[in-house]
Amino acid sequence: MPETNGERGTDGAADIVIITGMSGAGRSTAANALEDLGWFVVDNLPPALLPTMLDLADRASLTRVAAIVDVRSRAFSTDLKSAISSLAARGVSPHVVFLEASDGALVRRFENVRRPHPMQGPGTITDGIAAERELLREVRGDSDMVLDTSALNVHELRSRMHACFGGDSVTRLRLNIVSFGYKYGLPVDADLVADCRFLPNPHWVPALRPLSGCDAAVRDYVLSQPGATEFLDAYLAVLEVSLAGFEREGRRYVTLAVGCTGGKHRSVAIAEQIAARLGGRDVTVSHRDLGRE
């Protein structure tokens, strides 16, 4: 595994990330991405050993360490909560990332690799998924970041991990803005949602229909509509208040989903505008449904 470089935090502690979530949702890919970024990664670590991992990291002067924990470790939820509490008592706040995917996506992935789900026993893959989802319900709710990988390929997941963990530390709040189309469903990992369907749809303008919100003509059309500028001004004011509150609560990752009907024109243009006007923050932008029609 690659060694980390750079200075340790002002309190001398290493950055710690815990990757968990549904089997088949991409934990191994996430682990590989972190290793490529110079994180020291331990796979399949029993939650009870997290404090021990921190001790070893301190002795080795490692600045960034990550642990992949999952249901292969029994008494998972209780052990993980206890381990995080132990770390908190030492003044360490690990960043918990939960990877998930839809049932359909998980079934396809297990069928493609021709392996059983680790919790299906004598039942079906869907039985195992249901059991694991129930077991992880509380962990998901307590996680700092929930990342839905249903529509992500390996390269896209690696890119998301690089965007989140490519810096020298993970102490600053990072905002991920994703545009989407309501007809394809709301992103399940969204913390905040902005609806742009009140604006006229460029789809009905023949010259704009083949273009996207990334094109200047569509952007100018969307921003020129009544209410567009007022919406941006008002929403950004609310967003700044929300993000400040998330920071006070210790959140490190927030996902803002910006939606329109198809995820091609209005939501893309508004998402890009929000990102541009948050220039002082750590922001990434992605367009989930662009090119899907």
Side-chain angles (χ1 to χ4, degrees):
M1 299 180 185
E3 295 182 355
T4 57
N5 296 309
E7 298 297 326
R8 295 169 72 80
T10 56
D11 59 356
D15 285 332
I16 299 181
V17 170
I18 299 172
I19 305 291
T20 187
M22 298 295 294
S23 300
R27 292 189 306 255
S28 295
T29 298
N32 291 337
L34 289 176
E35 285 193 333
D36 290 345
L37 290 169
W39 289 72
F40 184 85
V41 181
V42 180
D43 194 9
N44 192 23
L45 183 74
L49 292 181
L50 282 168
T52 302
M53 184 187 74
L54 176 61
D55 291 336
L56 295 174
D58 287 340
R59 293 176 189 174
S61 297
L62 297 173
T63 59
R64 298 185 293 179
V65 295
I68 315 300
V69 297
D70 56 58
V71 291
R72 288 174 288 182
S73 303
R74 298 309 170 192
F76 174 78
S77 297
T78 302
D79 288 350
L80 180 57
K81 180 171 289 189
S82 176
I84 291 176
S85 296
S86 296
L87 294 178
R90 299 167 59 173
V92 177
S93 298
H95 311 286
V96 183
V97 180
F98 189 97
L99 301 182
E100 72 171 15
S102 67
D103 288 2
L106 294 174
V107 168
R108 287 192 298 273
R109 292 170 187 176
F110 277 104
E111 289 179 341
N112 286 340
V113 298
R114 299 181 180 180
R115 296 185 62 186
H117 187 281
M119 293 190 67
Q120 76 180 68
T124 65
I125 293 175
T126 54
D127 292 334
I129 292 172
E132 184 178 42
R133 205 177 288 283
E134 179 61 29
L135 177 65
L136 296 177
R137 187 180 304 278
E138 186 175 354
V139 174
R140 183 189 186 281
D142 291 338
S143 296
D144 298 294
M145 175 183 180
V146 178
L147 178 57
D148 180 18
T149 69
S150 302
L152 302 181
N153 60 36
V154 171
H155 305 294
E156 290 168 333
L157 176 54
R158 292 175 71 94
S159 178
R160 292 289 293 274
M161 296 301 293
H162 279 238
C164 290
F165 301 106
D168 291 333
S169 74
V170 293
T171 58
R172 188 180 181 190
L173 185 144
R174 297 179 177 182
L175 175 65
N176 175 49
I177 304 175
V178 55
S179 69
F180 72 96
Y182 276 94
K183 69 179 183 180
Y184 300 117
L186 187 72
V188 299
D189 51 353
D191 298 296
L192 303 167
V193 179
D195 190 341
C196 299
R197 290 176 295 180
F198 71 94
L199 296 169
N201 193 345
H203 174 81
W204 303 114
V205 180
L208 300 180
R209 183 176 300 177
L211 304 178
S212 79
C214 292
D215 294 300
V218 173
R219 178 197 64 213
D220 293 344
Y221 175 86
V222 171
L223 296 181
S224 69
Q225 299 305 310
T229 300
E230 292 84 353
F231 170 78
L232 277 170
D233 291 342
Y235 193 81
L236 280 160
V238 172
L239 184 59
E240 285 288 6
V241 173
S242 298
L243 295 179
F246 282 131
E247 288 176 326
R248 287 193 298 271
E249 291 299 311
R251 289 286 296 274
R252 295 293 177 262
Y253 317 97
V254 174
T255 296
L256 165 62
V258 182
C260 64
T261 302
K264 179 179 180 180
H265 296 111
R266 294 165 291 180
S267 62
V268 172
I270 294 297
E272 291 287 347
Q273 285 299 302
I274 292 175
R277 293 174 63 168
L278 288 172
R281 286 191 170 275
D282 192 348
V283 180
T284 60
V285 184
S286 60
H287 304 298
R288 189 191 73 176
D289 299 324
L290 190 57
R292 189 169 179 177
E293 75 285 347

